[in-house]
Amino acid sequence: MTLGRLPPLNPLRAFEATARHGSVTAAARELNVTHGAISHQIKALEATLDVRLFERGAQRLKLTAQGALLLPTISKAFEDIATATALMKRPTTKGELTVTCVPALLSLWLIPRMNQFTEQYPDIRLTLIATNEAHHLQSPDVDVCVLYGDGKWSDCWSRLWSTLKLFPVASPTLLNSRPLRSVRDLRNHVLLHGDDGREWNTWLAAADATDLARGAQHFMSDARLSTEAALYGQGVSLGDTITASNLIAKGELIVPFDLTVPANDAFHVACRNEVRNAPIVKVFIDWFFASLETDTITEPQTSARRIIRRRNGKISAPERVVAPPSIPTTRAKRPDRTQKRRAKADIR
């Protein structure tokens, strides 16, 4: 297609800026030229097109019918040029990216969302390593680390990704065969630890059950293993508001009590200072944070609305948990007086 002779670029820029601002002075300021230069360019464009583009005389310039017809096309053309220029200058985001991640978060949160990242960045090949070892922050072979800890790592860039709340979880099969009617019933269950025991101690202290006689206990290297053990009905583990939420929503895990406690640490994203602004690192970190923001993180729904009370009768949990809308619930029948007395005795 052969294009006719186009107007010169500078007069078109002067016209677009003046029309957008409604002021020659503002257009001159934006384009970093003098007031007179803008006026001269507009007059030159009017002469080239042989039309008047502005009605002069008022304090604010007003477009003529011909000027109003020209402006949308010119504005769109400059916008398209700016967009294309930005795309040309933007570094490519392709290649290999190595990410270490807390095992539970990797298995239960990141991997289910990998397709979203791949669809957005098809030219990035991920290498995912399940570990919570902070020494990878200094490794030239690792680009990004997602760690569970206090965030106090030196000589690197780090940012808090999410705090957590912890609560007991168990499989429905286990609870059908061995119910948890009160916190004291935990003594009849295997406690599954994803750490050295500190997190269960924190929860039991909040439940006023530090003197609970404990039965069998299993200690595992990370929360992924303790969660998997709970899924297989091997005992009761501590879940959290991020990694366990999907399993709870699908009914694979049940929350027997309505008490949550803040986790001792939190999830952080970290990397070496020198790679923070590398395009391939930046897009992954930005996507990782954006994906969390689009998630609906809700408090866990308890299976039987068991409220944990202290021995003096005061509720130890700060508030009752509201069931998330994504998890279907059924309204229980109103208990008779005998059931009420039995339930009252159970929860104390």
Side-chain angles (χ1 to χ4, degrees), residues 80-160:
D80 290 344
I81 292 170
T83 300
T85 303
L87 289 173
M88 291 173 60
K89 291 182 177 180
R90 187 176 67 185
T92 57
T93 52
K94 62 181 179 180
E96 298 183 7
L97 184 73
T98 300
V99 179
T100 71
C101 185
V102 182
L105 185 64
L106 177 60
S107 295
L108 302 173
W109 192 90
L110 178 54
I111 286 180
R113 291 163 177 77
M114 275 183 59
N115 63 313
Q116 300 172 16
F117 180 80
T118 301
E119 289 171 2
Q120 192 169 351
Y121 302 100
D123 295 324
I124 296 179
R125 187 174 72 185
L126 290 174
T127 297
L128 301 175
I129 302 172
T131 179
N132 194 39
E133 297 294 331
H135 68 79
H136 289 294
L137 281 170
Q138 308 306 323
S139 172
D141 298 324
V142 174
D143 300 302
V144 180
C145 295
V146 182
L147 299 167
Y148 179 68
D150 58 12
K152 297 177 181 178
W153 302 291
S154 59
D155 300 326
C156 70
W157 174 90
S158 67
R159 180 180 166 191
L160 173 67

